[in-house]
Amino acid sequence: MRFKWIYIILLSALALRLTYIFSNSFPPPVGDAMFYSKMAKQFLETGMLGYNQSEPNAYVTPGFPLLLAAVYTMFGTDPLGFQLTQVAFSVLTIGVVYRIARKYLSETFSLISAACMAVYPSFIYANGLLLTEVTFTLLLASFLLLLLEGIQSGRRFTLAAAGILLGLSVMVRPTPAVLVLPLVLYFARKLPSQKLVVRALFYVGFSSFIVVLPWWIRNFLLFGEPVLFSTSGNNPLLWGVHPYLIGWEDTFQSIYHLNPSELERNELWGKKAKELFQSQLQQAPFIEWLMIGKLNYFWRMPWVENGEIAHLFEKWRNPLHLLFVAGGWLGLTASVLRKHPTGWLALVIVVYTILHQIMLPIPRYAYPIMPYMILFFCFGMSLLYDAVNKRVKKANRHAL
């Protein structure tokens, strides 16, 4: 029966996403989506990777533009082809996270987590946008699943496949690179066999290195010095030192007016971020932004970039998001206090949250870890169910 129900949930998720895509007329891409699309088309025409420029650069990692170019090759440059690709990715993500949930939750609560992901509004809306989130969320979830299965089985092939997915996810968005060290330390402490830790580190590290290596070589040849991921790494750092994002336009324009080179601009962003951080450190509004404002910005609202046509489940959108976030943090806390095996997933959420409290904390960047918040929400519900069920059984025994 479990296969029957998960297939029903996946088909329902597919139907919801297709309904959303085909029932809306999407405006032309703007901002990042427009630049990604131009970059993909430019690559198909010239073989050159340049974000918002006619010359090669490394402003963004190449994974998403190359995927977009591949879809354009197969289905044409109409956004619909990529939107439908993202629908498939979104449904696959539900299946992957369901498999992770089955490692720790009962069948019932694993299905509930899949059903929550199927109807969570942002997971539906995002498929209409030409942005990295849907692709990145699938790659990250697939990496986490194969990492878990590789560690559990010790199979070299599974660990190598996990490394490939890690490399691909980093090439779409560099964020997973910060997860590597905390996860290594966690499993080194938790796993009984240090030999398995070394094996996992070798196969995951080597295969991810092979995936990323061509990008490193290309950047060294282009700039004459190493560029690990992109030349815009300090951009969100500079955004993040502007309380409630007030005044960021003037700061960025003052640097653009200097007409620096690509690498110099990134260095200037970093220096300006450090300068603004130090100059505001004694100011109460800035402290409030660091301690409360950023967390509130990151978690309080769901990501809805296409608000004018995000009408599906619109009335449920904010309450459902807050329920999953609040319940997810409660479930996560319970898992840590109980030293439950889901602790490594709790670590993923905590590290990701801390990273974006240092950098730019917008709801768009919380999107990729919402599947695990939903999983912990269901974990908390399962604990509550077990507690109530235990009390009812105890009351029944006393009644007899």
Side-chain angles (χ1 to χ4, degrees):
M1 289 298 294
R2 80 177 188 184
F3 293 109
K4 179 179 178 181
W5 281 109
I6 188 59
Y7 289 152
I8 289 173
I9 290 170
L10 293 176
L11 286 173
S12 299
L14 177 63
L16 284 171
R17 285 149 179 75
L18 290 176
T19 298
Y20 176 71
I21 295 298
F22 285 110
S23 64
N24 284 293
S25 177
F26 292 86
V30 296
D32 286 344
M34 177 181 67
F35 296 138
Y36 280 131
S37 183
K38 285 184 176 180
M39 186 175 177
K41 293 173 183 176
Q42 184 173 254
F43 175 77
L44 292 176
E45 293 170 0
T46 66
M48 182 267 292
L49 286 167
Y51 182 87
N52 195 30
Q53 282 186 359
S54 57
E55 297 179 355
N57 61 37
Y59 188 82
V60 297
T61 47
F64 185 73
L66 290 176
L67 172 65
L68 195 55
V71 174
Y72 282 170
T73 300
M74 291 185 289
F75 303 112
T77 57
D78 189 295
L80 179 62
F82 193 73
Q83 289 169 340
L84 295 178
T85 302
Q86 291 192 128
V87 165
F89 286 176
S90 181
V91 175
L92 282 171
T93 303
I94 297 173
V96 171
V97 177
Y98 165 78
R99 285 185 59 183
I100 296 175
R102 282 295 292 129
K103 305 285 186 181
Y104 305 110
L105 303 179
S106 69
E107 175 61 17
T108 298
F109 284 100
S110 297
L111 288 170
I112 291 172
S113 69
C116 290
M117 288 185 64
V119 300
Y120 179 62
S122 291
F123 289 165
I124 299 173
Y125 307 149
N127 298 290
L129 301 167
L130 271 63
L131 294 171
T132 61
E133 275 64 33
V134 177
T135 302
F136 175 71
T137 303
L138 174 60
L139 289 171
L140 179 62
S142 301
F143 159 65
L144 294 176
L145 173 63
L146 288 187
L147 177 65
L148 177 61
E149 292 186 343
I151 287 173
Q152 289 176 338
S153 67
R155 292 179 59 194
R156 296 178 178 85
F157 176 81
T158 306
L159 290 169
I164 291 171
L165 287 165
L166 173 61
L168 291 174
S169 64
V170 166
M171 286 293 93
V172 172
R173 185 179 289 176
T175 316
V178 303
L179 295 174
V180 173
L181 181 59
L183 287 176
V184 168
L185 295 175
Y186 176 88
F187 285 118
R189 185 165 176 260
K190 291 291 184 180
L191 292 177
S193 170
Q194 293 302 306
K195 183 178 179 181
L196 178 57
V197 175
V198 173
R199 177 186 293 180
L201 187 58
F202 173 78
Y203 283 99
V204 173
F206 182 74
S207 56
S208 59
F209 170 80
I210 293 300
V211 172
V212 179
L213 183 59
W215 180 241
W216 289 345
I217 294 173
R218 178 260 191 190
N219 288 341
F220 187 80
L221 294 175
L222 180 62
F223 298 107
E225 60 183 89
V227 174
L228 288 180
F229 302 117
S230 74
T231 57
S232 62
N234 289 327
N235 179 290
L237 192 64
L238 183 54
W239 276 70
V241 293
H242 290 80
Y244 303 96
L245 308 187
I246 297 171
W248 66 268
E249 299 100 329
D250 293 337
T251 302
F252 276 92
Q253 284 302 320
S254 67
I255 292 175
Y256 283 124
H257 285 157
L258 298 175
N259 197 30
S261 68
E262 188 175 347
L263 293 177
E264 289 171 341
R265 181 180 59 193
N266 193 49
E267 186 178 349
L268 288 171
W269 283 340
K271 287 182 178 178
K272 190 64 176 178
K274 182 179 179 181
E275 175 189 318
L276 288 175
F277 179 84
Q278 292 175 339
S279 66
Q280 298 178 94
L281 200 51
Q282 305 301 320
Q283 299 176 15
F286 186 67
I287 300 301
E288 180 188 357
W289 166 242
L290 291 179
M291 303 299 294
I292 302 171
K294 283 194 170 189
L295 277 174
N296 187 49
Y297 234 74
F298 195 60
W299 285 116
R300 184 173 64 89
M301 299 291 289
W303 178 47
V304 183
E305 187 155 321
N306 46 351
E308 68 278 4
I309 52 175
H311 54 80
L312 200 61
F313 299 140
E314 183 178 7
K315 293 182 179 179
W316 298 8
R317 185 168 66 213
N318 291 1
L320 204 57
H321 174 78
L322 289 175
L323 176 66
F324 291 156
V325 169
W329 278 111
L330 288 174
L332 183 151
T333 303
S335 80
V336 173
L337 293 176
R338 289 168 172 259
K339 297 182 179 179
H340 192 267
T342 50
W344 71 287
L345 285 174
L347 183 65
V348 169
I349 292 175
V350 170
V351 170
Y352 207 98
T353 301
I354 291 173
L355 173 67
H356 285 287
Q357 301 321 295
I358 298 171
M359 305 182 86
L360 179 61
I362 57 176
R364 176 179 170 185
Y365 296 148
Y367 176 99
I369 52 172
M370 275 306 297
Y372 316 108
M373 294 303 290
I374 291 172
L375 190 153
F376 277 111
F377 165 72
C378 292
F379 174 76
M381 284 203 306
S382 72
L383 294 180
L384 183 61
Y385 174 82
D386 290 342
V388 171
N389 198 36
K390 185 177 180 180
R391 181 164 297 202
V392 169
K393 286 180 179 179
K394 186 177 180 180
N396 288 340
R397 283 198 302 268
H398 286 306
L400 293 173

